Amino acid sequence: MIKKLSSYFGPGTFVAAAFIGPGTITICSIAGVRFGTDLLWALVLSIVATIILQNMSARIGLVTQMDLGTAMREIVSQPLLKALLMVLVVVAIVFGNAAYEAGNISGAVMGFSVIYADTQLSFGDFTLDYLPLVIGASCYFILNLNSYKKIEKLLIVLVVLMSLSFLATALITKPDLLSLVKGITLFKMPSDSLTTVLAIVGTTIVPYNLFLHSSVVQEKWKGVSGLKFAKLDSAIAIGLGGLVSIAVVVAASEIPREELRSILDMAETLEPLYGVYAKYLLGFGFFAAGITSTLTAALAAAYVLKGCLGWKIDNTHPKFKWTWRGILLLGVVFSSLGINPIELIQIAQVSNAILLPFIAILLLAIVSNRKLMGDYRNTQFQNTVGVLIILFCLFLSVKSFFMMF
């Protein structure tokens, strides 16, 4: 079954695996606990915007046979502007992903600790959590296979299992269907909800996914013959990821508490209400989210560096491999030593939020360029939708910047 699924789907799964990480699950949990289902509309809009932008990125990859970073180098002709743009992208995404990796591995550890709490070794006054080392080594082995097809199949399995875990958790809580419909269709903004809305959008529309998608789509299909498959793949995989986020909000909305510090709080609250299965489902889902995001964040950083620096190399080249290895190593170190990655992740979120509108503008410019895209360039309607998304991203960028500083 997996073999059959992977023949039609794959690249979109990388995107879903990347944005459904511990950060997204935590934000959606907080949204559900604090505001119930009132903010589901923001999540649905974010998913739609993500599908549209990722489809544009995939189209660039298949039509031009270039990744997004390389296409940006082609369309920006002014040398100084090109250099500044590439530096901004590399700093924001490559170093940002190093920060996210710590959160991803810590999230996988947290999900595992819901099921088995004792993951630390003591050496006198020094305490070491060994699970990040195990997770890091496992991810290293998977990525070091240098096989797109094997990683793709693994991600399909993990994303499907993760989705079933969170959907089952949501169904166990027996949500009110009317409140779900209202949450999706009524644009409510409860008091003090703006920060959460921005966080929901910021953890769903992720800049590095645009670079990742334009690259991995070329591993799957060759040329424009794959466009129809890529479009369907994106809609289904990202839609499934969105369904996971909705399920987390729904499950959290049934929790009778006002604050949520971590996924452990959510698991502990669900167990007495809905049985031990809810706790284990939630723990496994969070663990899978951490693993999939760890794999894709490291890969995305390598693809970004490869495209932006103009490396004419394949994925087996030492430069490519040492990039993802470095990102993975930093995540393992920060997680193992108990260094709190929250501040690093906040800085990464700000840099990504500031970067997003610029990336979206260049993305729209590329897919509208007749020379690069030919007959596959954007239609006027697609450009209009793209401009609306860019305006939304600009609003997010400005708000995120001022709220952080």
Side-chain angles (χ1 to χ4, degrees), residues 97 144 208 227 229:
N97 277 24
N144 209 47
Y208 73 73
L227 283 173
F229 298 109

Side-chain angles (χ1 to χ4, degrees), residues 67-130:
D67 58 81
L68 185 57
T70 304
M72 285 180 176
R73 291 172 62 87
E74 287 288 320
I75 202 169
V76 180
S77 57
Q78 213 284 331
L80 181 59
L81 181 60
K82 182 187 294 188
L84 287 173
L85 177 65
M86 294 302 109
V87 169
L88 176 64
V89 170
V90 168
V91 170
I93 293 183
V94 175
F95 288 98
N97 277 24
Y100 279 130
E101 202 72 323
N104 292 332
I105 294 175
S106 297
V109 171
M110 197 180 297
F112 189 83
S113 67
V114 171
I115 303 168
Y116 182 75
D118 188 13
T119 62
Q120 293 187 333
L121 298 174
S122 296
F123 304 94
D125 295 331
F126 180 73
T127 301
L128 176 69
D129 192 340
Y130 65 84

Side-chain angles (χ1 to χ4, degrees), residues 317-337:
H317 194 280
K319 286 183 180 179
F320 187 89
K321 293 170 74 171
W322 279 109
T323 300
W324 64 253
R325 286 172 181 171
I327 299 295
L328 188 59
L329 180 62
L330 286 173
V332 170
V333 169
F334 288 139
S335 299
S336 299
L337 298 180

Side-chain angles (χ1 to χ4, degrees), residues 47-67:
I47 294 298
V48 172
T50 301
I51 291 173
I52 292 170
L53 291 176
Q54 294 296 157
N55 271 329
M56 291 182 186
S57 174
R59 187 154 30 111
I60 288 170
L62 290 174
V63 173
T64 68
Q65 290 297 293
M66 293 186 286
D67 58 81

Side-chain angles (χ1 to χ4, degrees), residues 121-334:
L121 298 174
S122 296
F123 304 94
D125 295 331
F126 180 73
T127 301
L128 176 69
D129 192 340
Y130 65 84
L131 194 55
L133 300 175
V134 175
I135 291 171
S138 301
C139 290
Y140 174 87
F141 173 76
I142 293 166
L143 291 173
N144 209 47
L145 292 173
N146 295 320
S147 172
Y148 166 81
K149 290 183 179 179
K150 290 178 181 177
I151 295 173
E152 176 190 80
K153 288 177 182 178
L154 176 65
L155 287 178
I156 289 175
V157 172
L158 286 174
V159 168
V160 169
L161 291 176
M162 175 177 65
S163 302
L164 291 174
S165 296
F166 285 119
L167 289 172
T169 305
L171 290 174
I172 286 172
T173 62
K174 297 178 182 178
D176 180 5
L177 293 180
L178 182 59
S179 68
L180 291 182
V181 174
K182 287 181 178 180
I184 292 171
T185 56
L186 300 179
F187 294 84
K188 290 184 180 179
M189 284 285 288
S191 177
D192 299 325
S193 66
L194 180 59
T195 304
T196 308
V197 169
L198 294 176
I200 287 172
V201 178
T203 57
T204 306
I205 310 175
V206 184
Y208 73 73
N209 273 344
L210 297 170
F211 291 86
L212 178 64
H213 204 177
S214 64
S215 297
V216 296
V217 79
Q218 296 177 58
E219 304 276 353
K220 183 71 174 179
W221 299 292
K222 301 300 180 185
V224 296
S225 61
L227 283 173
K228 60 180 179 180
F229 298 109
K231 189 174 183 180
L232 183 63
D233 171 52
S234 297
I236 292 176
I238 298 170
L240 183 62
L243 197 58
V244 170
S245 297
I246 291 172
V248 175
V249 173
V250 170
S253 69
E254 299 298 317
I255 294 177
R257 40 189 315 161
E258 296 180 358
E259 292 296 332
L260 190 71
R261 293 171 296 174
S262 72
I263 197 72
L264 294 175
D265 290 343
M266 190 171 171
E268 289 170 1
T269 309
L270 283 174
E271 184 176 2
L273 291 173
Y274 306 109
V276 70
Y277 294 110
K279 173 184 175 179
Y280 289 141
L281 284 169
L282 192 64
F284 175 79
F286 206 73
F287 174 76
I291 292 290
T292 55
S293 292
T294 298
L295 291 169
T296 50
L299 266 182
Y303 278 120
V304 168
L305 210 60
K306 174 186 172 182
C308 290
L309 298 184
W311 291 347
K312 305 297 182 183
I313 58 175
D314 62 19
N315 298 354
T316 62
H317 194 280
K319 286 183 180 179
F320 187 89
K321 293 170 74 171
W322 279 109
T323 300
W324 64 253
R325 286 172 181 171
I327 299 295
L328 188 59
L329 180 62
L330 286 173
V332 170
V333 169
F334 288 139

